[in-house]
Amino acid sequence: MRDTTHSNTVIITRNRILAGSVLSAVITVSAFFLIPYLFPTVSHIKWIAATISSVCYLFLILFLSRHLIRSIQSSFDDIGQLTLSVPLVASKKFIEAREQCESVNENNSDHAIVNLKQELCNLATMLEALEDKVSQRNKAVFRAHQALKNERDFITQLVDTAQMIVMTSDDKQVIHLFNHYGEQLTGFSREEVEGSDVARFFPPGHWSETNNILKELLIGNIQIAQQEAELVDKAGSLKQISWFHSRVERNNEETMILSVGLDNTQTRAAEKRIVWMAEHDPLTDLCNRRKFTEEFEKSLQTAIRYQHNSTLLLLDLDRFKDINDTSGHRAGDEALKLVAKALNRITRFTDFVARLSGDEFAVIMPESDEAGAITLSEKILAELSTIHLNYASVRHTISASIGIVNYPLQDATTNELMGFADLAMYRAKANGKGRYHIFSLDDQSREQLQKRVYWKQKIEEALENHLFVLYFQPILNLSNNEIQHYEVLVRMRNPETQEITLPGKFIEIAEEVGLIQSIDHYVLHHSIKKLGELQKQGSKVEFAINLSGAVVDTPVLLPYLKKLIKRFDVDPSALIFEVTETVAVANLYQAKLMMTAIKALGCRFSLDDFGVGFASFNYMRELPIDIIKIDGIFIKNLDINADDQLFVKALIDVAKGLGRKTIAEFVENEAILTILQNYGVDFAQGFYIGKPQQDLLSGTH
């Protein structure tokens, strides 16, 4: 457009110059011919005409040129003004460009220049609009680019901060991307990993599976796969990784594999720990009853299938409760640990050792005979005897009673075999503790076992639910015919029928199964509590409480009595403790120490069932006792048996000589009572005096 405008201007100017030249030439030629015609007489008129014509031509030329030059100069000035707007347009200064164009006066300008001005203004406006569009497009592109960049940065940050390994690999199994968490977990840097082979993260044992999965993903047979595999990090530590592999299409051309690995090392360790804890005793690290039951069943089935003989040893620690009661549970726990270590140390690697309950252990001896079981039992007993625990001023020794049962035994199940071993163990305990006993079907053990299990459960139920009740049998003071002295007796109440069971039914079994001490403590607690209540009411009553043989050589009794006397604020002189002659003689030295210590509290002692022993009179002198209770076997026929009368009279005389009080039990009639009064007996007890009952009597007999 600009070239067209310029061409038109040139043509117009050229036409004006040509017209002026032609007009000047016409005037000059006319003057040249007209002057001679008008002045023919003048000489040299032609030269004069020629001169005048030339002068006129020059004058016309000058006149026309000045006019044309002024016109051309004005046009070129306008063109120059318009030309100055072009760099402004090029510099995107569109407002200044339009102002420059507007400075050209259209009234004095050529039409072509006016058109040129309009074109330049339009061009500036059009370019400005185009520039605005380009600017808006650039801004939109920038915003989109920034959004993509932010999204890319977010995804990168997401991948890097995700608490799992994230990596991609191509069809040649070359890693292209490896995130920051992967660096932290494996110890390998991104530079080390990217460009390397995927196989580096999978040990040989798992790579074959991984390789097949990646190939199936690449060819499109599967879209996603899950895999559990191990990973060895840079430090050589083993990690447990759950991998999730998936197929990813890239630009519809390249297929990539996205592998995401979740670190399950701690989870797997926790699972293993849970399984271990479910099968083991956390204190001793031995297998527990649950695992033992499972292994025992396997061992029995294996023995039956292959006709092999195996052996079960059941161990129960003797007087373990004493350790807990005197030195606390920490001492008890330490004792159990030492026992567990000893068992692990002396058993075979094929033997299975377990802790079944508090102080009960078991050893399964596969493919062993009775001789092997005896040898191991003797080793166990010898090893346990070397264990000594010193807590404060108390020194504890460890011993155990072991029950042995060989299996298969006819058609006995694991539960029945455990019952047989339990029975043998209690038989060993009854034989003196620190011993072993081999089970045999020849001694009617099944019935004994059923009886023992039944009463053991009854005793445990009674202890837990306070089903033991105290009965009080009056003892008559023959010097004043008053009853202020009672023997405390224990009975068991059936919660459903309210039937009362006498101690003859359950005491022996309680001694065998290790529950007698709990019964002793139950009776002591409730008797001393009852005595405290009566003393607060002003009563002068005295209680005689029986102590079993289980507490004679235990260090628990003395601190327990101190605690009860202080707790219930009783006068200890009203407490009389009875032990049988048999119990005292079984461990004379220990019994003497125990009696001396308890008497130091202010309590008294009575020797029960006196006279049944071979050297009773000697024991009466050796033991620090206050009262002699003559055994009922010498009293119940006293009114008709002269030998009994002779013995009882001698016994009473000796007791008086030693300063001991006497009690005669089994006084069943008045005749016996009269004889005893004549002999000088201090107290009488029996059904003729009063039967045991829950309430106390009052007044005189």
Side-chain angles (χ1 to χ4, degrees), residues 361-615:
F361 297 82
V363 180
I364 297 174
M365 300 179 63
E367 299 186 30
S368 64
D369 54 14
E370 185 174 300
I374 292 174
T375 300
L376 180 59
S377 297
E378 291 175 345
K379 285 183 179 180
I380 291 173
L381 295 176
E383 187 73 17
L384 295 183
S385 67
T386 64
I387 299 176
H388 301 286
L389 285 176
N390 295 306
Y391 273 82
S393 59
V394 181
R395 179 180 175 87
H396 300 286
T397 58
I398 305 295
S399 67
S401 300
I402 304 175
I404 303 172
V405 62
N406 295 299
Y407 63 91
L409 186 62
Q410 295 184 356
D411 59 347
T413 64
T414 54
N415 288 334
E416 290 175 319
L417 291 171
M418 281 293 294
F420 296 153
D422 192 61
L423 179 63
M425 183 268 292
Y426 284 119
R427 184 67 58 84
K429 196 176 288 290
N431 291 338
K433 302 180 177 60
R435 301 173 184 270
Y436 62 85
H437 183 82
I438 301 173
F439 174 80
S440 172
L441 288 174
D442 298 334
D443 52 8
Q444 299 179 347
S445 297
R446 286 178 185 262
E447 294 181 4
Q448 295 178 18
L449 176 62
Q450 292 174 352
K451 178 181 178 182
R452 179 175 283 102
V453 170
Y454 172 80
W455 282 110
K456 181 182 179 182
Q457 292 175 348
K458 287 291 184 182
I459 294 169
E460 290 173 340
E461 181 183 356
L463 288 169
E464 182 178 355
N465 299 315
H466 301 284
L467 298 179
F468 284 117
V469 292
L470 300 184
Y471 275 61
F472 304 91
Q473 186 171 21
I475 299 175
L476 177 65
N477 187 335
L478 296 182
S479 64
N480 57 18
N481 273 350
E482 291 184 356
I483 296 177
Q484 293 182 326
H485 186 173
Y486 292 85
E487 180 179 4
V488 181
L489 303 170
V490 66
R491 305 285 188 264
M492 183 188 293
R493 177 174 58 83
N494 188 313
E496 297 176 357
T497 64
Q498 303 303 314
E499 179 184 354
I500 298 299
T501 302
L502 296 176
K505 291 280 189 179
F506 57 83
I507 287 296
E508 183 179 354
I509 293 176
E511 291 175 344
E512 292 179 357
V513 300
L515 294 173
I516 188 63
Q517 186 170 309
S518 298
I519 296 177
D520 280 333
H521 286 192
Y522 184 96
V523 173
L524 285 170
H525 179 274
H526 289 83
S527 298
I528 295 176
K529 179 181 178 182
K530 176 76 171 178
L531 181 61
E533 293 172 352
L534 292 171
Q535 288 182 348
K536 287 180 174 59
Q537 297 171 7
S539 175
K540 301 297 183 181
V541 70
E542 297 175 349
F543 282 171
I545 304 173
N546 291 279
L547 296 179
S548 71
V551 299
V552 171
D553 57 349
T554 175
V556 179
L557 180 60
L558 185 61
Y560 188 63
L561 280 177
K562 288 181 179 179
K563 183 174 69 174
L564 291 177
I565 291 172
K566 181 178 180 180
R567 177 179 177 183
F568 298 114
D569 191 23
V570 301
D571 178 5
S573 64
L575 286 172
I576 303 169
F577 294 104
E578 294 187 3
V579 292
T580 64
E581 180 185 359
T582 305
V583 169
V585 171
N587 192 341
L588 185 62
Y589 175 74
Q590 188 65 33
K592 188 175 181 179
L593 290 178
M594 183 266 294
M595 290 179 180
T596 302
I598 292 179
K599 281 174 65 67
L601 298 178
C603 306
R604 289 176 289 169
F605 258 95
S606 173
L607 191 61
D608 198 7
D609 298 338
F610 188 79
V612 296
F614 180 77

Side-chain angles (χ1 to χ4, degrees), residues 287-305:
C287 290
N288 57 15
R289 180 179 289 273
R290 175 179 175 274
K291 184 64 175 177
F292 167 79
T293 302
E294 178 183 328
E295 291 298 322
F296 189 27
E297 182 66 38
K298 290 180 182 178
S299 178
L300 176 60
Q301 295 305 320
T302 301
I304 294 173
R305 179 177 181 181

Side-chain angles (χ1 to χ4, degrees), residues 4 14 53 115 193 280 342 371 421 523 582:
T4 303
R14 186 182 61 190
S53 297
N115 290 339
V193 174
H280 289 77
V523 173
T582 305

Side-chain angles (χ1 to χ4, degrees), residues 220-239:
N221 288 343
I222 56 176
Q223 296 299 317
I224 190 169
Q226 192 270 337
Q227 177 191 17
E228 300 291 330
E230 295 176 345
L231 182 150
V232 180
D233 63 16
K234 194 170 185 177
S237 300
L238 194 66
K239 308 286 187 183

